[in-house]
Amino acid sequence: MIFRRYLTIGFFVALTLITSSCSTERHLSKIPKTPFAPEKLEPWGAPFDGLWSNPKIPKEKHYSCLYIAPVNLNYLGTPEKERENAASYKETAKSLAMELQAKLKSELAENPKVKAKITSDKAKADVTLELAFVRMNPTIVAGSIASVGSSFIVPGVSHLFTAASKGDMAMVGVLTERASGVRICVFGDYKEDKGSLFGSVKDFQKYGHHHQTVDMWASKLAELISKGRHGKVSPAIWMSLSPF
């Protein structure tokens, strides 16, 4: 019985890893095209799904002072999966945007490997980072309730039951030379609620998973900035054994 239990867990872990490795194209299709970032993103995979790099910017060119703009919400549409009070939706998006910016600045301040100076004065920067939320759907709590207890009978089955209830988010980022206004690169990422073999308490909160997504984006952005334009950053692991 124990062997079968762990075999089942192993199967779902393997299935998730395989699915994740094949999902970049699908993720790119979930990132809405907007006037903010009309460029065609090519599969990147790590740390984010898609990337466009300006071929006219020399690879050896580096920048020393970065300004991080407030997260842009002007291109965020309405939720697709569930009707949501417009005012509440906007306030949640605003809160998550402020959370992302605060966490990113905190991660950078605590990382001793960050060589670039982070400035709050845009006029002093030689490069600016602008982020925008372009998609945000809440988790459908009613759908999550239907899967309660199922994962304790067959580990992993909760992940399948709640697939249609998953919330999601997408963001795009633009790195620009401040003085010339020339875009250095554009990147984008799409994330659904983080999976768990035994379900998650976040499945019963409209935006519980979205805070986790924001944490991941802040962490990966800080790591990327610390390593420079051509640094290698590992992809986020978007599967967990923890229900919390």
Side-chain angles (χ1 to χ4, degrees):
M1 180 63 71
I2 293 177
F3 174 76
R4 288 180 62 186
R5 178 183 178 85
Y6 282 99
L7 182 63
T8 305
I9 292 175
F11 169 77
F12 277 101
V13 170
L15 181 62
T16 300
L17 292 175
I18 292 171
T19 302
S20 297
S21 66
C22 301
S23 63
T24 301
E25 289 287 355
R26 183 180 72 85
H27 283 193
L28 286 176
S29 71
K30 297 284 189 178
I31 302 174
K33 285 286 183 289
T34 67
F36 178 78
E39 293 84 357
K40 177 178 171 55
L41 302 181
E42 298 297 332
W44 192 11
F48 305 120
D49 291 315
L51 174 70
W52 173 85
S53 293
N54 191 336
K56 296 181 180 180
I57 301 292
K59 291 185 177 181
E60 62 274 12
K61 189 170 186 179
H62 294 281
Y63 304 92
S64 59
C65 191
L66 173 68
Y67 169 75
I68 302 172
V71 178
N72 192 323
L73 300 177
N74 293 334
Y75 301 95
L76 182 63
T78 56
E80 300 172 359
K81 293 185 176 182
E82 184 181 68
R83 289 192 175 185
E84 177 83 314
N85 178 277
S88 176
Y89 182 74
K90 187 175 182 179
E91 281 303 308
T92 300
K94 183 178 179 181
S95 176
L96 287 166
M98 294 173 64
E99 185 178 332
L100 173 57
Q101 189 174 33
K103 286 182 179 293
L104 174 55
K105 290 183 176 181
S106 176
E107 291 261 2
L108 289 169
E110 295 171 1
N111 189 336
K113 295 182 180 180
V114 175
K115 297 179 181 179
K117 179 182 178 182
I118 311 300
T119 180
S120 58
D121 186 350
K122 185 177 181 179
K124 294 181 179 179
D126 53 10
V127 64
T128 63
L129 173 63
E130 299 173 272
L131 302 171
F133 290 166
V134 293
R135 177 187 180 112
M136 188 173 82
N137 287 301
T139 302
I140 300 178
V141 176
S144 300
I145 293 174
S147 67
V148 173
S150 61
S151 62
F152 293 98
I153 300 172
V154 181
V157 75
S158 174
H159 180 69
L160 301 177
F161 270 108
T162 59
S165 304
K166 283 182 176 294
D168 59 17
M169 285 187 80
M171 67 90 177
V172 291
V174 179
L175 200 62
T176 308
E177 288 187 346
R178 186 196 61 78
S180 67
V182 173
R183 292 189 167 198
I184 301 167
C185 68
V186 178
F187 56 88
D189 198 55
Y190 167 83
K191 282 289 180 285
E192 292 178 325
D193 295 350
K194 188 172 185 178
S196 173
L197 289 179
F198 300 102
S200 171
V201 294
K202 295 182 180 66
D203 294 339
F204 306 100
Q205 306 164 20
K206 276 191 173 184
Y207 296 100
H209 287 281
H210 298 67
H211 292 284
Q212 201 166 31
T213 296
V214 163
D215 282 347
M216 183 279 293
W217 282 340
S219 177
K220 291 300 178 181
L221 277 168
E223 186 180 354
L224 186 61
I225 291 169
S226 72
K227 293 185 176 181
R229 286 176 60 201
H230 309 297
K232 300 295 183 181
V233 179
S234 61
I237 297 175
W238 216 236
M239 182 65 187
S240 174
L241 295 174
S242 172
F244 302 103

